Amino acid sequence: MNYFPFSRRTPLRLTFWFGIAVIGVFGLIPAIAVFVISFTNIRGLPGLPVDWVGFENYVRWFSPAKVGYNLNALRNTIVYSVTVTLISNVLGIAIAVLLNQKLRGRNAFRAIVFLPTVLGVTVIGLIWTLFFNPGGGPAATVWSWFGAKSAFFGDPHLALALVIFVQIWMGLGVNVVIYLAGLQAIPEDLYEAAAIDGATGWQRFRNVTVPLLAPSVTANVLLSIVGTLQSYQLAYVLTGPSNLATQLLSLALFSQAFGGNAASGLGNTQGYAATISVIQFVIVGIASSLVLIYLRRREAKL
């Protein structure tokens, strides 16, 4: 039996168990700790007593005093996640198909598309904050041509849409790279055979590209859903932690655990933040599992 790159089975087993140990120490144990902390009133300040409060934090999350704020954060999170996932994957496939053609300078265009992914969230936030500066940014100038003004990220009717736009711009490069890898794995013979049979460009895309690109679609959709359901950094940098129009569930968690949030009426309580984290974990787990089951069945049908 081939144990490449190991000559014997023992090093292979040691490597496997070492990987399991690393995952357990840095993944499983912290997750269990967060779950346990969610049943306490720990506040992260030295010297304060820590009491076991049971399901009090969970009851508090669903209480009438908090349900309005939490439902708003949950609604924004769902809109944010679904919109970013759909648009980024549709654009990702379209751009990947275009950049997979034999075009002059396509490597340069690929680099340009991937460039925003390399930039940090803070840099991206600064760029777009300056661009949408209501006091004299390029967007304000264009707005003024039509005799209109806007606060952009300060506008409750526009802020979430702008954050979604920036998120799509920032993460599109990863989608394109994955789709490009999937496209380049499709044999050219299949396209040639379809062309000989008289298939049009759209028919080749529908009957050859889409079925064979299904695994890439599954990977990208899952990455987008999990990433956006857990994302808060971009909304925090662009609009701050207290803007109810862009309040996401993960941002509420961050504000509760580390910064406090006047809009939510919450203090700096790590126990309650752990409760939000557990609820978020359940939501992400259910959403990703349902999407994975659906996409795997679609792959089998295609």
Side-chain angles (χ1 to χ4, degrees), residues 38 51 79 109 148 254 260 262 266 278 282:
S38 70
D51 300 317
V79 172
F109 288 120
F254 175 84
L266 302 175
V278 172
V282 172

Side-chain angles (χ1 to χ4, degrees), residues 241-267:
S242 302
N243 191 334
L244 291 178
T246 58
Q247 188 62 257
L248 305 175
L249 194 59
S250 52
L251 182 56
L253 189 162
F254 175 84
S255 300
Q256 173 65 40
F258 304 108
N261 191 335
S264 66
L266 302 175

Side-chain angles (χ1 to χ4, degrees), residues 6 15 32 43 46 66 82 94 102 116 132 143 158 180 182 185 202 220 224-225 241 245 250 254 264 270 277:
F6 304 102
T15 304
I32 295 174
R43 282 159 285 183
K66 302 293 187 295
V82 172
K102 295 180 179 179
F132 287 107
W143 231 248
L158 194 60
L180 271 174
W202 169 252
N220 261 331
S224 296
I225 289 177
S250 52
F254 175 84
S264 66
Q270 276 70 38
S277 179

Side-chain angles (χ1 to χ4, degrees), residues 29 46 64 88 103 105 119 126 130 163-164 177 193 203 249 253 272 277:
I29 293 177
S88 61
L103 302 174
L119 301 176
L126 177 61
L130 293 174
V163 174
I164 289 173
V177 168
Q203 289 173 332
L249 194 59
L253 189 162
Y272 184 73
S277 179

Side-chain angles (χ1 to χ4, degrees), residues 37-54:
I37 289 173
S38 70
F39 294 98
T40 70
N41 65 348
I42 185 172
R43 282 159 285 183
L45 298 175
L48 293 179
V50 178
D51 300 317
W52 185 268
V53 297

